Amino acid sequence: MRKIYLEDTPLKEAQERIASRIHFAPIVEVIPTREALGRVTAASIYAKVSMPNFHAAAMDGVAVRAEKTYSASEQHPVRLQYNVDYVEVDTGDPIPDGYDAVIMIEHIHQVDKETIEILEAVAPWQHIRPIGEDVVIGEMIVPDRHKLRPVDLGALLAGGNVTVPVLRKPRVAIIPTGTELIEPTAKVASGEIIEFNGTVFAAYLQEWGAEPVYYGIVKDDYGLIRNAVKTALEDADMVLLNAGSSAGREDFTVHVVEELGEVLTHGVATRPGKPVVVGVVNEKPVIGLPGYPVSAYLNLEWFARSLVYHYYGLLEPVRQRVKAIMGRRIVSVMGAEDFIRVTIGSIDGSYIANPLTRSAGVTMSMVRADGLLRIPPGDLGYEQGEEVEIELYRPLEQIQNTVVATGSHDLAMDVLHSLVRKTNPERFLVSSHVGSMSGILAIQKGEAHVAGVHLFDEHTGEYNQPFIEKYLRGKDVVLIQMVYRQQGWFVKKGNPLGITSVQDLVKPGVTYMNRQRGAGTRLLFDYLLKTSDIDRELIYGYSREAVSHLSVAAAVAGGTADAGLGIYSAAHAMDLDFIPVSEERYDLVMSASFYRSSQGQELLACIRSSQFREQVEALGGYSCRDSGKILYSSFSLGE
């Protein structure tokens, strides 16, 4: 039953195919107006009463007949008698017959209980709300196919509409497939994967105005999947199958759709997101989404969201876009649209975009993404420094208030982010783990506000400053002490292989997990190899790289490595044994412009705070004895 892709369809063409084939006939339901927020009207709705339905006072004061005030002036005040020339009214009171204006209470001088004096004339109908000023009986309040907003509900109620006809929400069936899937739990055995895509799909669908129906996990069995689709089609307006959309031995989605209906598209020309199945069964759309989260979420938006808005007859909302400068070169392949998740920072007046991992299976790349870069199928990518257009996932105001951190990974940065948010809720901090050297280069190129560094110079025995002086010569920067931390070997509980030094890593059968090039931990490891006169070729796994201390610890905990070098807090988080090697300094490099800014000073205050010390040292393996100390500056601090 194995089958290759039917085609490599351009995304727009695939969307048009399904939209042209599906003609929804939504059911109309009548619901209380007070419960109708976000619902879509099934007809134009008209006012049943006027608002107000009487002439009403718009101010506190007195109702008068305007012509009796015409002669009033400061030189010739006019006096009016109670119940003869005026009556008292409050805002919203009906205007009695025979009166056609209201004088504000502030403009009245009370002569006695029965007499007032005025110094200024009023015009007819001044400060009076006439019948129907807000809503007139018979007036259309909202049109057909209108998504109801809070203000619309008020106008509808004011117009006497206590119920409204709306389109029933489209019911979307969610069917996750996979023998390896389990429901969410805190305990996962080897070979099991938590099913979480269904929850994400449901949340997106609710956000777009649909009603998700979760059918539960179905094993990789053709008959079970076919029966699940047939059952779901009895009640749902659309069916989503997750996983099994590619061309593997147990990828059954395309065959199920072929048997029950018609496959319109199998495979779109995008990266990620290629293996999608788009079909029609019983005149209802059936979408087979890829199992990898990023591919699944993108296809969900391209097809499910489009169909939800098609169901309602509404235009799809367009996200805000911004022009940004590429912080790093990005390469694409001819013939496919590339969708690159990026982080964005506002640095010295320019927006800088940096790509996140392109792996379709990395959910956190969507969590961390500020926006999406779309590379057309005819382009080969963008060079560093080239201007691009980004579709924003976050409001531009948030991006402008975001501190962009890069460089080496450390858990203290997560603590710092939390403190920054508590200190100033409008402020954000995003951190990318690219290694100490890449962090320094980002500061050099103006692509980051701060960079975390822990680079040991074997010639001087100093941390960080020699590298700052070498690579940031001529650039105004400041080096700030962040934390001292313990570096050591990660090994499994009980240290079954007896690893206590770098020499032990060359033992037969020992697998090592390294850090990426440019990482301070890797430089330290290379120094340990050099001082012990060990050839790196003897280290099994030297070329295998991880981008964070937690990733190294996870490899050891998961059994794909026997040892790795990293910080104590990561070993503790993964419940590993830790053999100390050395204490090192982890510092922050700041550009001068950022240091002088209010954002920079807020960050520095957080680093120097007692809360930072308490929370970081509680992680274990840290000392904050000099946190916030200025270690080096290439400009006058003015302090």
Side-chain angles (χ1 to χ4, degrees):
M1 194 176 280
R2 190 165 183 172
K3 193 169 186 177
I4 62 172
Y5 294 114
L6 299 181
E7 53 194 327
D8 218 6
T9 310
L11 175 58
K12 187 175 181 181
E13 182 182 330
Q15 291 172 315
E16 290 172 348
R17 283 183 189 176
I18 187 67
S20 65
R21 280 293 307 276
I22 298 298
H23 304 285
F24 291 111
I27 295 172
V28 177
E29 56 186 14
V30 178
I31 63 173
T33 301
R34 286 176 172 171
E35 300 172 10
L37 180 64
R39 300 298 297 271
V40 177
T41 56
S44 298
I45 303 175
Y46 297 85
K48 297 177 179 178
V49 297
S50 293
M51 174 65 184
N53 64 351
F54 55 87
H55 299 314
M59 300 286 177
D60 296 336
V62 297
V64 298
R65 190 161 185 82
E67 64 182 5
K68 290 195 174 184
T69 70
Y70 289 163
S71 62
S73 67
E74 291 187 8
Q75 291 77 24
H76 299 92
V78 169
R79 293 193 172 188
L80 303 173
Q81 296 298 310
Y82 179 62
N83 275 342
V84 176
D85 304 311
Y86 77 91
V87 294
E88 294 175 337
V89 291
D90 295 319
T91 301
D93 285 350
I95 300 298
D97 291 340
Y99 299 93
D100 62 4
V102 171
I103 303 174
M104 295 171 61
I105 192 69
E106 296 91 331
H107 297 167
I108 293 170
H109 172 61
Q110 193 79 41
V111 177
D112 55 40
K113 290 184 178 181
E114 302 293 325
T115 308
I116 61 172
E117 187 176 80
I118 60 172
L119 305 178
E120 183 179 352
V122 292
W125 301 103
Q126 184 169 325
H127 300 318
I128 290 178
R129 298 185 66 205
I131 292 174
E133 179 191 56
D134 190 355
V135 179
V136 179
I137 189 170
E139 176 185 6
M140 186 174 73
I141 300 174
V142 291
D144 185 15
R145 303 291 171 123
H146 175 77
K147 191 172 184 178
L148 293 170
R149 305 163 298 171
V151 292
D152 299 327
L153 303 187
L156 287 167
L157 291 173
N161 293 280
V162 295
T163 60
V164 288
V166 296
L167 301 179
R168 193 199 69 182
K169 292 182 180 182
R171 294 173 61 82
V172 182
I174 299 170
I175 306 174
T177 69
T179 305
E180 74 282 8
L181 297 180
I182 61 171
E183 293 296 339
T185 177
K187 295 182 179 180
V188 183
S190 177
E192 295 180 337
I193 298 176
I194 291 174
E195 198 294 295
F196 58 85
N197 279 345
T199 297
V200 178
F201 297 166
Y204 273 126
L205 289 164
Q206 286 177 318
E207 191 175 277
W208 301 331
E211 180 185 343
V213 183
Y214 185 77
Y215 274 75
I217 298 167
V218 178
K219 293 184 182 298
D220 287 320
D221 178 278
Y222 184 85
L224 293 177
I225 295 172
R226 180 191 57 200
N227 291 339
V229 172
K230 290 177 68 175
T231 300
L233 284 167
E234 294 175 2
D235 186 49
D237 300 293
M238 185 191 321
V239 175
L240 301 179
L241 282 160
N242 186 214
S245 63
S246 190
R249 289 185 300 113
E250 295 186 335
D251 289 329
F252 299 127
T253 298
V254 67
H255 309 295
V256 168
V257 177
E258 277 183 324
E259 179 186 336
L260 299 178
E262 179 184 0
V263 174
L264 301 181
T265 301
H266 186 196
V268 289
T270 64
R271 293 197 320 168
K274 180 176 180 176
V276 64
V277 177
V278 182
V280 179
V281 180
N282 299 341
E283 300 307 312
K284 297 178 180 181
V286 177
I287 313 296
L289 299 169
Y292 279 139
V294 176
S295 295
Y297 305 160
L298 289 174
N299 273 296
L300 183 78
E301 182 169 311
W302 296 335
F303 294 102
R305 185 174 89 150
S306 296
L307 287 168
V308 168
Y309 281 90
H310 178 56
Y311 172 96
Y312 284 124
L314 300 175
L315 289 175
E316 275 191 82
V318 177
R319 291 193 182 98
Q320 188 178 9
R321 297 173 184 269
V322 68
K323 298 286 187 180
I325 304 299
M326 284 304 301
R328 293 201 298 275
R329 185 171 185 253
I330 190 77
V331 178
S332 185
V333 176
M334 292 286 286
E337 278 185 284
D338 246 334
F339 293 84
I340 313 297
R341 289 84 71 199
V342 299
T343 59
I344 309 172
S346 177
I347 301 171
D348 295 333
S350 297
Y351 293 111
I352 307 295
N354 283 295
L356 291 159
T357 176
R358 298 171 75 167
S359 172
V362 181
T363 311
M364 288 303 295
S365 69
M366 293 293 284
V367 174
R368 295 190 176 109
D370 296 319
L372 194 67
L373 169 64
R374 187 171 189 161
I375 304 178
D379 288 4
L380 291 175
Y382 297 103
E383 295 294 332
Q384 181 180 347
E386 194 171 348
E387 186 177 70
V388 297
E389 186 175 64
I390 305 293
E391 180 182 340
L392 294 181
Y393 285 154
R394 288 203 298 152
L396 195 58
E397 294 77 12
Q398 283 189 15
I399 291 171
Q400 290 168 341
N401 281 315
T402 295
V403 177
V404 180
T406 187
S408 175
H409 167 249
D410 192 272
L411 299 179
M413 292 298 292
D414 298 329
V415 174
L416 185 58
H417 183 201
S418 296
L419 287 177
V420 166
R421 296 283 290 130
K422 287 181 180 179
T423 303
N424 185 345
E426 296 181 357
R427 197 77 72 213
F428 296 84
L429 186 149
V430 295
S431 181
S432 56
H433 311 148
V434 297
S436 295
M437 281 304 304
S438 293
I440 287 176
L441 295 177
I443 295 293
Q444 182 191 74
K445 298 169 186 174
E447 298 169 0
H449 297 119
V450 300
V453 293
H454 65 113
L455 294 167
F456 177 73
D457 181 41
E458 60 182 83
H459 301 294
T460 64
E462 292 289 325
Y463 269 95
N464 302 325
Q465 186 169 331
F467 294 88
I468 303 301
E469 293 174 340
K470 179 179 179 180
Y471 292 101
L472 296 178
R473 185 179 300 139
K475 189 151 184 97
D476 285 342
V477 295
V478 59
L479 183 66
I480 297 169
Q481 165 70 47
M482 182 83 156
V483 292
Y484 293 99
R485 63 187 192 178
Q486 287 288 331
Q487 283 267 25
W489 306 114
F490 298 163
V491 294
K492 289 184 178 178
K493 279 289 187 183
N495 195 6
L497 298 181
I499 296 170
T500 59
S501 68
V502 69
Q503 289 89 349
D504 295 323
L505 300 179
V506 299
K507 291 179 180 179
V510 174
T511 300
Y512 185 74
M513 171 63 85
N514 209 350
R515 288 293 305 281
Q516 77 273 34
R517 294 183 184 183
T521 299
R522 180 157 174 161
L523 291 180
L524 175 61
F525 183 57
D526 287 343
Y527 174 72
L528 294 173
L529 291 176
K530 181 178 179 180
T531 55
S532 297
D533 196 26
I534 296 175
D535 187 343
R536 66 182 60 175
E537 296 296 326
L538 298 176
I539 304 297
Y540 187 76
Y542 179 88
S543 60
R544 187 177 171 210
E545 300 178 345
V547 298
S548 72
H549 296 283
L550 284 172
S551 296
V552 174
V556 177
T560 60
D562 298 305
L565 186 62
I567 58 176
Y568 172 83
S569 56
H572 179 70
M574 293 292 175
D575 195 28
L576 298 172
D577 278 358
F578 180 81
I579 292 87
V581 170
S582 65
E583 183 182 66
E584 67 172 9
R585 231 181 50 221
Y586 178 88
D587 302 332
L588 288 186
V589 185
M590 284 188 188
S591 66
S593 59
F594 179 73
Y595 173 81
R596 294 188 180 109
S597 70
S598 59
Q599 288 182 328
Q601 291 303 303
E602 282 179 10
L603 199 70
L604 187 57
C606 286
I607 294 171
R608 290 171 172 171
S609 69
S610 59
Q611 295 97 321
F612 179 77
R613 172 192 288 266
E614 291 166 3
Q615 293 182 36
V616 170
E617 291 186 348
L619 296 173
Y622 287 101
S623 170
C624 296
R625 59 185 182 270
D626 293 321
S627 295
K629 180 180 178 181
I630 306 298
L631 301 171
Y632 166 83
S633 173
S634 59
F635 62 95
S636 175
L637 297 176
E639 294 181 345

